[in-house]
Amino acid sequence: MGGGARVELRIESPAECPVVDVAAATGGTGRSIAWSADPETGRTVEEFVLESDADGSDTLELPVETVFSDASSEIYRFDRDANRDCPCVSIERFGCPIANVEASDDALFVTFHVAEMDEIRPLLTELRSRYDGLSVERLIRSETNRDESNLLCIDRDVLTDRQIEVLRTALEMGYFERPRDATAGEVAAALEINRATFAEHLASAQRKLLPDIVGRREQARDR
């Protein structure tokens, strides 16, 4: 096996992305996103399937048109400047074809692969300079042996500085030990916050980290 990896990104509210806008406006999910560029006109046509219980594009003040609909989904189409930057175009400029992309919860989820791990850092640096709401949902290395099959990298950027401080203090004081070396009240006191605030920070950090460990997409489907 090679030294590559699968990268799954979440980008919150990317600017000028009609797929995300439509998904957010309808509470649905945009899937099967595809695009085709015409070098003669300098335009790119994009098409996607929207799975939603809401009404169609007639109720949306967005530059999209419905090209097909049935009982469970609608196919929307729009065109854009072929040179306009967007997350998918930015990633493909690094030579990484998009493996999967969908939009839901006012965010874009993009999956792609890199041939070598050292390709990831410059790509993420470029993307973060363009999109403030970017986070790494999951990063899975290629299996070189069975012992590495469950290797998972966690992106600490999903946590705020305060959440990292809360987790570090709780860990250092033994809050996660069994039996506990410190109570929630003692950790909160060390942080100079009340127990409710401590619990809120801890729960928020767990909501951000646990889906990466147990599988965000599977968990979301079970809700």
Side-chain angles (χ1 to χ4, degrees):
M1 296 285 184
R6 176 193 298 271
V7 185
E8 299 179 11
L9 303 180
R10 176 189 178 106
I11 305 173
E12 297 283 351
S13 305
E16 298 182 1
C17 181
V19 182
V20 173
D21 292 340
V22 171
T26 61
T29 298
R31 305 185 192 277
S32 302
I33 304 170
W35 51 91
S36 176
D38 185 341
E40 294 186 2
T41 64
R43 306 293 294 175
T44 291
V45 176
E46 290 199 34
E47 191 173 278
F48 63 98
V49 176
L50 178 74
E51 298 175 357
S52 173
D53 294 330
D55 293 334
S57 60
D58 292 341
T59 63
L60 303 173
E61 296 181 359
L62 297 169
V64 297
E65 63 174 333
T66 303
V67 295
F68 178 83
S69 64
D70 58 23
S72 61
S73 64
E74 292 184 310
I75 296 179
Y76 288 172
R77 183 180 293 169
F78 65 94
D79 75 312
R80 60 174 172 81
D81 185 341
N83 296 318
R84 191 193 73 189
D85 283 332
C86 70
C88 296
V89 171
S90 297
I91 292 169
E92 291 190 333
R93 283 176 180 160
F94 280 82
C96 301
I98 301 301
N100 185 61
V101 58
E102 64 181 60
S104 64
D105 300 326
D106 202 22
L108 195 68
F109 297 86
V110 185
T111 300
F112 61 94
H113 302 90
V114 294
E116 300 293 338
M117 290 294 292
D118 58 11
E119 296 178 20
I120 298 175
R121 185 177 297 276
L123 192 155
L124 292 181
T125 298
E126 172 67 19
L127 291 177
R128 286 197 171 104
S129 71
R130 296 174 179 271
Y131 310 103
D132 295 333
L134 182 143
S135 62
V136 178
E137 289 284 277
R138 190 176 300 168
L139 193 158
I140 306 174
R141 292 183 59 179
S142 298
E143 294 184 25
T144 55
N145 58 58
R146 292 184 181 275
D147 293 336
E148 295 182 0
S149 61
N150 291 321
L151 180 63
L152 176 67
C153 297
I154 301 297
D155 184 12
R156 286 192 0 159
D157 288 347
V158 301
L159 301 175
T160 66
D161 291 341
R162 189 56 163 165
Q163 288 166 352
I164 292 175
E165 181 185 15
V166 167
L167 288 175
R168 180 182 293 116
T169 302
L171 182 63
E172 292 174 350
M173 293 182 66
Y175 176 78
F176 298 111
E177 299 294 332
R178 290 294 182 271
R180 284 176 174 160
D181 295 331
T183 65
E186 290 170 337
V187 179
L191 291 164
E192 299 183 347
I193 57 179
N194 58 47
R195 288 185 59 179
T197 302
F198 166 72
E200 181 179 346
H201 282 306
L202 189 62
S204 180
Q206 290 172 332
R207 283 195 300 271
K208 292 178 178 180
L209 295 177
L210 289 179
D212 287 339
I213 298 172
V214 302
R216 180 181 300 272
R217 307 309 299 163
E218 290 79 2
Q219 183 188 60
R221 285 195 292 267
D222 291 339
R223 289 176 183 170

